[in-house]
């Protein structure tokens, strides 16, 4: 497996994880809009907003973990698989 493909995959994972910031902005904007329209609901909207932002942030953390695994774990697995496959290829198996 080519190391460049692993780097591209990790970049895509981080890029898509970074898009969660758009979701967080939308969550906060709509919660503030709701608080402005109905101030009595501020405590309920704020607690729901905090929970939603935490769940949205977890997607970015998962994307970061995937990128780290691709960079540091997958190249080692690919190198081991390549080493194991070379004798089988040369022997014609």
């Amino acid at each position: 497996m080519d190391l460049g493909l692993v780097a591209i995959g990790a970049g895509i994972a981080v890029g898509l994880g970074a898009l969660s910031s758009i979701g967080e902005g939308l969550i906060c904007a709509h919660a503030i809009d709701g608080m402005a329209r109905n101030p009595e609901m501020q405590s309920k909207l704020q607690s729901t907003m905090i929970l939603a932002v935490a769940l949205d942030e977890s997607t970015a953390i998962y994307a970061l973990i995937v990128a780290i695994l691709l960079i540091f774990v997958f190249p080692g697995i690919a190198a081991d698989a390549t080493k194991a496959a070379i004798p089988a290829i040369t022997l014609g198996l």
Side-chain angles (χ1 to χ4, degrees):
M1 179 60 68
D2 189 16
L3 189 60
L5 293 176
V6 172
I8 289 172
I12 290 171
V14 169
L16 293 176
L19 289 177
S20 72
S21 62
I22 294 171
E24 290 178 23
L26 289 173
I27 291 168
C28 293
H30 290 293
I32 291 171
D33 186 36
M35 289 177 207
R37 290 175 187 245
N38 196 356
E40 305 88 49
M41 295 293 292
Q42 179 188 0
S43 63
K44 282 191 169 195
L45 287 173
Q46 187 173 7
S47 61
T48 305
M49 177 190 70
I50 290 171
L51 178 64
V53 167
L55 289 173
D56 192 35
E57 186 66 29
S58 68
T59 60
I61 293 170
Y62 291 145
L64 179 64
I65 289 171
V66 167
I68 289 171
L69 287 174
L70 281 173
I71 292 171
F72 294 111
V73 175
F74 189 72
I77 293 171
D80 292 342
T82 304
K83 288 178 187 175
I86 288 174
I89 293 170
T90 56
L91 293 175
L93 298 175

